[in-house]
Amino acid sequence: MIKPATEPVEVLIVAVPETAGSALYGMLDVLLAAGNIWQTLVREPGQQSLFRVRIVSPDGEAFRCGNRIPVVPDCSVTDDPDATILILPELWLGPDEDVQGRYPQLLDWIRRRYQAGATLYSACSGAVMLAATGLLDGCEATSHWGYQDLFRKHYPKVRFRPEPNLVFADPAGRIVTAGGTTSWHDLAIHIISRHCSPGEALRIAKVYLLKWHDEGQLPYATLVRRIPHADSVVRSCEEQLSGNFRASDAIRQVVGTANIPERTLKRRFKAATGLALIDYLQNLRVEAAKRLLESEQMAVDEISVEVGYEDPSFFRRLFKRRTGLTPSQYRRMFQPVSRGIRPC
């Protein structure tokens, strides 16, 4: 743990037009509240600001970020501001977008801040900007699960992990990436605990009702994604499996209608989708099981048979491996959301 500072810890949060305003201002608000909001609520003496937080942008000019939310930066990268902590929050990026070439001066400044000793944190797709600096090359990192194909294509040197909520890129923890969208909650708790105290992190979590996502991202991730590719044979196989995944001989049927050797089909399928044919089929079945668990009261054994597995124990193991939760845990977690938690 980093020794708590007697003076407020200097923090810079990067903001560009693609930045998600909720992550930007959520992180700003929570960090500025550390050391005073709990103390104010319980009328405890000794309030103090534990962080000094500033927004930094490429040019320092006011602009509107995602969803036209106004941003008034405190400084620009041309000022070369210094800070102990540098945060790259979520960006509004499509699953095939990248930031290479958009902000060369900003990326260069991020590299310089790291070389000068700053600790870098990214939340969600902020890791895409961090990857563009090259600082994640050869390291493990996470981001929203929806960007795993982007990392595979544009940043193959990054060992992308879609399942954790936080990943340390280096043993010293000077680069930390957080997972999807509201993972900035986990990141804020981590930063407060690490740079101030675990006790203050707990108090902030209680005030803001922040939850530590120890289940990781797997329960939230969709296992079936339509990846753009030009292989018409593979696309036909995907469509056939989507409509016939429950069949016990689904793979045999696909191989039979592809009109190419089985080995060739499996090689082309993996190259086009990033998944083996059997993995794609299993993902379709698990996704179907997830929908039933979210909306129905069917027994898990019945769901197993419904999605194509006669052996419920195998289905349970597969489901846990793919989602990080048992079927029953998944139902308890998501069925209330699906129902809207309606009052009795």
Side-chain angles (χ1 to χ4, degrees), residues 114-179:
Y114 178 72
Q115 292 163 1
T119 300
L120 307 186
Y121 296 98
S122 71
C124 192
S125 48
V128 178
M129 179 177 286
L130 188 53
T133 67
L135 293 173
L136 289 178
D137 287 356
C139 301
E140 289 191 344
T142 192
S143 180
H144 192 285
W145 51 262
Y147 294 100
Q148 55 189 300
D149 299 314
L150 183 151
F151 273 82
R152 182 165 61 96
K153 178 179 179 181
H154 294 284
Y155 302 105
K157 294 181 180 179
V158 180
R159 301 196 300 276
F160 187 85
R161 297 183 58 197
E163 69 278 5
N165 59 334
L166 286 184
V167 169
F168 291 75
D170 62 313
R174 286 194 52 220
I175 301 180
V176 181
T177 54

Side-chain angles (χ1 to χ4, degrees), residues 258-305:
N259 292 321
I260 59 175
E262 181 175 349
R263 181 176 296 180
T264 301
L265 173 62
K266 290 180 176 179
R267 176 180 54 79
R268 285 170 58 173
F269 196 95
K270 179 68 178 289
T273 68
L275 290 171
L277 197 53
I278 185 62
D279 288 328
Y280 192 87
L281 173 63
Q282 290 178 340
N283 285 352
L284 285 168
R285 290 174 169 177
V286 171
E287 280 296 321
K290 286 161 67 174
R291 301 293 82 79
L292 292 172
L293 289 164
E294 291 163 3
S295 59
E296 304 293 339
Q297 293 300 325
M298 295 171 62
V300 173
D301 287 8
E302 293 180 63
I303 291 175
S304 174
V305 174

Side-chain angles (χ1 to χ4, degrees), residues 335-344:
Q335 195 167 91
V337 178
S338 178
R339 294 180 172 183
I341 319 181
R342 292 187 292 271
C344 298

Side-chain angles (χ1 to χ4, degrees), residues 18-241:
E18 296 89 345
T19 296
S22 58
L24 171 66
Y25 287 115
M27 183 70 77
L28 179 77
D29 185 52
V30 168
L31 292 182
L32 287 176
N36 56 71
I37 192 168
W38 170 273
Q39 292 78 1
T40 299
L41 287 173
V42 302
R43 296 179 174 84
E44 182 178 291
Q47 296 96 330
Q48 60 173 326
S49 295
L50 301 180
F51 296 95
R52 177 179 179 244
V53 187
R54 293 176 292 164
I55 297 174
V56 59
S57 72
D59 60 14
E61 298 295 324
F63 64 94
R64 291 182 181 272
C65 67
N67 289 329
R68 296 187 53 76
I69 296 173
V71 179
V72 181
D74 298 290
C75 51
S76 76
V77 298
T78 56
D79 302 322
D80 197 22
D82 191 12
T84 301
I85 294 171
L86 178 60
I87 300 173
L88 284 65
E90 177 189 359
L91 304 172
W92 284 112
L93 293 175
D96 302 306
E97 288 186 73
D98 191 14
V99 296
Q100 284 283 12
R102 297 191 191 184
Y103 303 106
Q105 189 176 17
L106 173 60
L107 298 183
D108 183 59
W109 174 77
I110 292 171
R111 285 188 287 264
R112 292 203 313 273
R113 287 297 93 220
Y114 178 72
Q115 292 163 1
T119 300
L120 307 186
Y121 296 98
S122 71
C124 192
S125 48
V128 178
M129 179 177 286
L130 188 53
T133 67
L135 293 173
L136 289 178
D137 287 356
C139 301
E140 289 191 344
T142 192
S143 180
H144 192 285
W145 51 262
Y147 294 100
Q148 55 189 300
D149 299 314
L150 183 151
F151 273 82
R152 182 165 61 96
K153 178 179 179 181
H154 294 284
Y155 302 105
K157 294 181 180 179
V158 180
R159 301 196 300 276
F160 187 85
R161 297 183 58 197
E163 69 278 5
N165 59 334
L166 286 184
V167 169
F168 291 75
D170 62 313
R174 286 194 52 220
I175 301 180
V176 181
T177 54
T181 310
T182 56
S183 64
W184 71 260
H185 297 179
D186 304 72
L187 191 60
I189 292 171
H190 170 74
I191 289 172
I192 296 168
S193 177
R194 184 181 186 190
H195 294 270
C196 299
S197 73
E200 186 59 27
L202 183 58
R203 287 188 283 270
I204 285 293
K206 289 179 177 179
V207 170
Y208 283 89
L209 309 187
L210 300 181
K211 174 185 178 294
W212 183 261
H213 296 90
D214 55 349
E215 71 276 5
Q217 295 194 83
L218 285 183
Y220 304 91
T222 181
L223 297 172
V224 180
R225 303 184 306 281
R226 193 173 179 86
I227 299 174
H229 62 78
D231 194 321
S232 60
V233 173
V234 171
R235 183 63 71 203
S236 177
C237 291
E238 290 179 272
E239 292 171 356
Q240 184 177 347
L241 284 173

